[in-house]
Amino acid sequence: MDRVSSFDEPLLKLLGGATAKVMAEHLDLHTVGDLLHHYPRRYEERGKLTALADLPLDEHVTVLAQVADARILMFNNGRGKRLEVTLTDGSGRLQLVFFGHGVHKPHKELLPGRQAMFAGKVSVFNRKMQLAHPTYQLLDASDADEATEAVDAFAGRLLPIYPACKQLDSWRIAKAVDAVLPSALDAVDPLPASLREGRGFTPLPEALLKVHRPQTKADVEDAKARLKWDEAFVLQVALARRRYADTQLPAVARRPVADGLLDAFDAKLPFTLTEGQEKVSKEIFDDLATEHPMHRLLQGEVGSGKTMVALRAMLTVVDAGGQAAMLAPTEVLAQQHHRSITEMMGELAEGGMLGGSDRGAKVVLLTGSMGMAARRQALLDLVTGEAGIVIGTHALIEDKVQFHDLGLVVVDEQHRFGVEQRDALRSKGKQPPHLLVMTATPIPRTVAMTVFGDLETSVLDQLPAGRSPIASHVVPAKDKPHFLARAWERVREEVENGHQAYVVCPRIGDDAEEAEGKKGKAAKKASAKASEEDPEKRPPLAVLEIADELRKGALAGLSVEVLHGRMHPDEKDDVMRRFAAGDVDVLVATTVIEVGVNVPNATAMVIMDADRFGVSQLHQLRGRVGRGSAPGLCLLVSEAHEASPARARLSAVAATLDGFELSRIDLEQRREGDVLGQAQSGVRSSLRMLTVIDDEEVIAAAREEAVAIVAADPELEHLPELRTVLAALLDKDREEYLDKG
């Protein structure tokens, strides 16, 4: 069997049909290599052999003892069974207990007089020491040598506990691993020898043996260090090759033009750009001036001036004779971007033909809900080149949308978009356009290096002058109802001082929910009862109900309006315009206001059921206040119990305004499963040992090595082993994932 094929060997050949079928269907393990990379989740310590008289509480121990007696006890009116076994070793006595279906086997085997070894964690019940559901191994009393050998093998060992499923428990997986473990010696090592030796890593076959059958804790650490590196390194090589391939694509260089649109725009700015904006703009301009497509991720807190940076990049492209498109996740946001960009540009947004007039460039909006005439005109402006800048939703990607010369695509809040859409827009240019992806969700560096690893990253971490601090507080509505009453008083005070406020709820709530008549009432009654017992079980608070309560109660006399996703676009637009104009005091909304809504006069925000939102989302919402010169206030209302993880999350949000710190907390709480999300499933399934949050140093070091290796040998001609492992990792799905980034 050659070195590669032993890893490709189907498990069916080695393990028998039933086991292989369960492994394939429930654990996604198909080959010997898959099983060898199915690492133990943790290790049980059996402890050295301990005399019964010296048992330490709350520790894993292994004891060698004789069964003194065993009896079955019934409880719960005969419905439950418990097996109690008493052990003795001459120094003391110990009780074992087994419950439920777990009593049958030990009841048959643990007969008085039998000698065995038992391993488990010592606890106390009814003032007696006991082991609950211990693992055990019977010993043949007639063969003293065998007993000694068995004791040595059993005690002091680290027992691997594997990620298992209902149909296949950990010890059966361990048995299957024993069957394939000899193949570990055939492992193809992806690390170049110089790197492996330079960093003092254990050879891969040895690391696989140590991770599955460690003798000591040091073995486990040794193996983990090596296997984490492999995962980080292979992934970073794949991403480095993707970036390298991008640099080989052709693109039209778009260089700034003296005395063009950009200079005219900069000259009329009423403020100076922050240092951060200057630095990031330079990075973008340098990328635009090259003859291969820019692929850059622009991260910036809400209000850090990302739109300003993106607009300056778009104006540069228009100056250079190209067109720029900005893609927003929702119509509301597209309309808002269109409004704020035309306002920022003033008369420059009313320019004539592309590159012809020095009066500016035409800025058009293209969304799905536009009327036919306006839509036809916008499409015509794009294909003739009349429009220099277009702002729209995914409607921009439809087949019938044609550009004259698309030079730059700016994607706002990319994580709300399918990656296919990004690609479709890319194909609109004669040559691939430059790409700038913006996000206001701060992404921890490690996630940026893995999830967005094919993009170069720029970070805007300064807030422009004139932005005010935001004070945040948790309002425990259940424990201290008077705090909630005070929250509404604060909102009233802000309005009396000439400001405005947002109230955010997790749900819309509408007549459709009420329309089920009696059934609806019964459900409402049941949910009311449930919510009294556990606030987590009641439905989240709804915009329409809260708005109604506030109009009649705490905020009576103020102008209270609602905004949510089910409203007609014109209606939404009307409410937003009136709120922006100061005609509405309080806006009760869902998270539609989360991104892009900019009303500098809004100073207060009350988030109802704040524990139902994620950390990053709360941070995004909070960024809607304090956008003017007056300080902002954000109140996080929650009925969650003081000691609950939900309340801990809210306290973390209240304690810092640093989005990067919060994104780290968010990631630690959710782990990386949801962060990498479904779109990244290919890569997710290849990360078994590496955790994106804990292994920042490993990922950064692996990226550095990967970049150097790909720069020296893009096709990996001199590293056939690395090429083999990459090919196995990057099956078609993962290849596509990396393509789309």
Side-chain angles (χ1 to χ4, degrees):
M1 196 186 297
D2 70 38
R3 293 176 65 204
V4 184
S5 64
S6 72
F7 262 50
D8 292 338
E9 188 87 29
L11 289 172
L12 192 61
K13 270 189 177 179
L14 292 156
L15 302 180
T19 305
K21 186 169 187 272
V22 171
M23 285 193 167
E25 286 176 9
H26 297 279
L27 297 169
D28 197 22
L29 304 175
H30 307 273
T31 63
V32 167
D34 289 345
L35 183 52
L36 285 173
H37 289 301
H38 187 70
Y39 306 129
R41 190 172 49 230
R42 60 189 171 85
Y43 301 86
E44 285 289 0
E45 293 181 66
R46 281 174 163 165
K48 298 291 176 200
L49 276 182
T50 315
L52 295 187
D54 308 326
L55 289 181
L57 195 58
D58 275 345
E59 278 188 31
H60 286 281
V61 299
T62 303
V63 297
L64 173 62
Q66 195 170 26
V67 177
D69 71 75
R71 57 197 175 281
I72 290 247
L73 303 171
M74 300 300 219
F75 61 92
N76 205 1
N77 291 333
R79 287 198 295 276
K81 272 184 192 172
R82 182 166 79 236
L83 170 65
E84 286 185 358
V85 179
T86 307
L87 303 181
T88 175
D89 70 347
S91 76
R93 293 169 86 78
L94 175 68
Q95 188 169 313
L96 311 180
V97 59
F98 300 86
F99 292 99
H101 298 303
V103 306
H104 306 304
K105 189 167 175 268
H107 189 217
K108 279 194 230 149
E109 294 181 338
L110 299 178
L111 305 170
R114 286 304 303 261
Q115 206 179 29
M117 280 182 303
F118 303 87
K121 192 175 181 181
V122 184
S123 58
V124 169
F125 182 71
N126 276 348
R127 286 186 290 189
K128 281 186 192 164
M129 292 254 193
Q130 72 164 26
L131 297 182
H133 282 283
T135 49
Y136 62 88
Q137 187 168 330
L138 298 168
L139 299 176
D140 183 352
S142 61
D143 187 339
D145 285 347
E146 190 197 327
T148 311
E149 219 171 276
V151 167
D152 288 345
F154 189 87
R157 278 263 312 277
L158 289 171
L159 244 192
I161 305 296
Y162 288 92
C165 59
K166 202 166 97 182
Q167 297 78 358
L168 197 65
D169 49 28
S170 174
W171 68 266
R172 281 172 63 201
I173 295 172
K175 227 171 167 168
V177 169
D178 282 337
V180 302
L181 211 47
S183 298
L185 300 173
D186 301 331
V188 175
D189 199 325
L191 295 193
S194 57
L195 193 159
R196 191 172 63 240
E197 287 151 19
R199 290 186 175 265
F201 283 130
T202 304
L204 183 57
E206 193 185 316
L208 288 169
L209 294 173
K210 279 180 170 177
V211 80
H212 289 293
R213 297 295 173 261
Q215 298 300 310
T216 62
K217 285 183 180 175
D219 281 354
V220 175
E221 290 315 306
D222 215 21
K224 278 186 171 178
R226 168 65 217 255
L227 296 167
K228 274 182 184 182
W229 239 92
D230 280 20
E231 286 179 10
F233 177 71
V234 172
L235 176 58
Q236 290 303 334
V237 168
L239 291 165
R241 289 185 75 194
R242 177 71 48 226
R243 287 195 302 277
Y244 178 82
D246 283 340
T247 66
Q248 304 309 297
L249 289 173
V252 179
R254 312 282 179 174
R255 296 184 180 87
V257 172
D259 298 327
L261 199 49
L262 178 63
D263 284 352
F265 175 74
D266 282 352
K268 64 189 277 302
L269 279 181
F271 51 81
T272 53
L273 298 174
T274 65
E275 239 174 274
Q277 285 173 320
E278 293 276 16
K279 177 175 149 286
V280 170
S281 287
K282 183 179 180 331
E283 289 170 351
I284 292 170
F285 292 158
D286 288 350
D287 282 359
L288 290 174
T290 59
E291 290 180 353
H292 58 80
M294 162 170 82
H295 289 101
R296 191 166 281 280
L297 172 69
L298 173 56
Q299 293 188 66
E301 288 280 8
V302 168
S304 59
K306 290 185 304 299
T307 311
M308 170 65 70
V309 169
L311 176 55
R312 294 182 76 241
M314 293 196 283
L315 294 176
T316 301
V317 170
V318 173
D319 271 343
Q323 290 169 296
M326 185 183 234
L327 212 52
T330 63
E331 290 211 357
V332 169
L333 204 49
Q335 286 162 351
Q336 187 145 336
H337 274 313
H338 181 252
R339 230 183 356 257
S340 63
I341 282 174
T342 47
E343 276 166 19
M344 277 195 240
M345 287 176 65
E347 73 280 2
L348 296 175
E350 296 150 17
M353 285 296 286
L354 241 183
S357 160
D358 59 356
R359 285 184 296 115
K362 191 166 186 179
V363 180
V364 301
L365 177 69
L366 185 62
T367 61
S369 65
M370 282 168 76
M372 273 312 292
R375 190 177 167 72
R376 202 174 290 122
Q377 183 59 53
L379 290 171
L380 189 65
D381 287 345
L382 287 182
V383 77
T384 59
E386 176 81 22
I389 294 175
V390 58
I391 294 154
T393 55
H394 53 263
L396 276 180
I397 301 168
E398 290 168 15
D399 291 342
K400 55 171 89 75
V401 180
Q402 297 300 322
F403 290 85
H404 176 65
D405 178 13
L406 180 61
L408 170 66
V409 176
V410 178
V411 179
D412 190 24
E413 291 301 329
Q414 183 262 3
H415 62 281
R416 293 161 179 260
F417 261 59
V419 281
E420 290 80 7
Q421 293 159 307
R422 204 172 93 180
D423 268 15
L425 193 60
R426 223 187 246 183
S427 65
K428 294 277 181 192
K430 291 171 188 159
Q431 289 190 332
H434 297 282
L435 177 70
L436 180 65
V437 172
M438 301 198 297
T439 176
T441 307
I443 301 161
R445 180 164 166 257
T446 42
V447 179
M449 284 191 290
T450 43
V451 181
F452 298 101
D454 65 332
L455 299 171
E456 299 299 333
T457 305
S458 294
V459 178
L460 275 176
D461 46 14
Q462 284 172 295
L463 287 185
R467 290 300 301 263
S468 303
I470 305 168
S472 306
H473 304 283
V474 179
V475 178
K478 199 173 177 69
D479 313 343
K480 299 177 179 167
H482 60 287
F483 274 40
L484 182 58
R486 176 71 191 118
W488 299 126
E489 281 172 25
R490 284 291 293 111
V491 169
R492 203 176 260 288
E493 286 164 16
E494 289 298 312
V495 173
E496 281 163 6
N497 288 329
H499 298 301
Q500 292 158 281
Y502 298 100
V503 177
V504 182
C505 303
R507 197 167 60 95
I508 297 173
D510 62 7
D511 300 331
E513 292 169 3
E514 309 297 320
E516 292 199 14
K518 288 177 186 168
K519 196 169 147 196
K521 280 181 185 156
K524 222 172 178 182
K525 208 169 178 184
S527 84
K529 185 172 186 298
S531 71
E532 272 175 44
E533 292 159 25
D534 180 1
E536 288 292 305
K537 288 197 178 127
R538 69 161 168 72
L541 294 171
V543 166
L544 301 177
E545 289 156 23
I546 291 291
D548 210 36
E549 280 174 31
L550 291 175
R551 285 186 192 115
K552 291 174 185 162
L555 302 181
L558 301 185
S559 158
V560 177
E561 294 270 3
V562 299
L563 180 73
H564 57 76
R566 239 178 275 156
M567 289 162 64
H568 187 276
D570 291 348
E571 205 183 341
K572 273 193 268 195
D573 214 36
D574 176 56
V575 171
M576 270 318 303
R577 275 179 196 282
R578 287 188 295 115
F579 187 63
D583 300 337
V584 174
D585 298 325
V586 179
L587 190 62
V588 183
T590 53
T591 54
V592 291
I593 62 148
E594 178 186 354
V595 275
V597 173
N598 185 16
V599 179
N601 191 44
T603 52
M605 176 177 286
V606 181
I607 303 178
M608 307 302 291
D609 275 343
D611 46 280
R612 311 272 179 127
F613 299 97
V615 169
S616 295
Q617 201 172 25
L618 290 169
H619 182 60
Q620 293 278 68
L621 287 166
R622 169 172 64 185
R624 298 292 121 218
V625 294
R627 297 176 76 86
S629 51
L633 172 69
C634 178
L635 301 174
L636 306 166
V637 179
S638 168
E639 289 189 5
H641 190 270
E642 195 169 356
S644 66
R647 274 286 286 279
R649 240 187 9 249
L650 296 183
S651 301
V653 174
T656 178
L657 290 172
D658 181 341
F660 285 93
E661 174 57 27
L662 286 174
S663 67
R664 201 177 171 84
I665 292 166
D666 197 17
L667 190 53
E668 272 166 4
Q669 289 182 338
R670 296 188 294 151
R671 306 311 289 178
E672 58 279 351
D674 339 346
V675 178
L676 298 186
Q678 286 311 298
Q680 279 77 324
S681 57
V683 167
R684 177 70 197 113
S685 58
S686 69
L687 300 186
R688 296 196 162 95
M689 189 62 85
L690 194 73
T691 53
V692 171
I693 185 68
D694 300 326
D695 297 315
E696 182 166 340
E697 284 166 26
V698 175
I699 293 169
R703 180 180 170 115
E704 216 168 283
E705 296 276 11
V707 168
I709 280 167
V710 172
D713 182 4
E715 295 305 314
L716 308 177
E717 284 169 19
H718 305 296
L719 298 167
E721 292 85 1
L722 178 52
R723 223 171 45 236
T724 301
V725 172
L726 259 182
L729 167 79
L730 298 178
D731 56 31
K732 195 162 182 316
D733 294 349
R734 294 174 198 163
E735 207 30 292
E736 276 175 15
Y737 151 69
L738 288 171
D739 257 337
K740 292 166 184 168

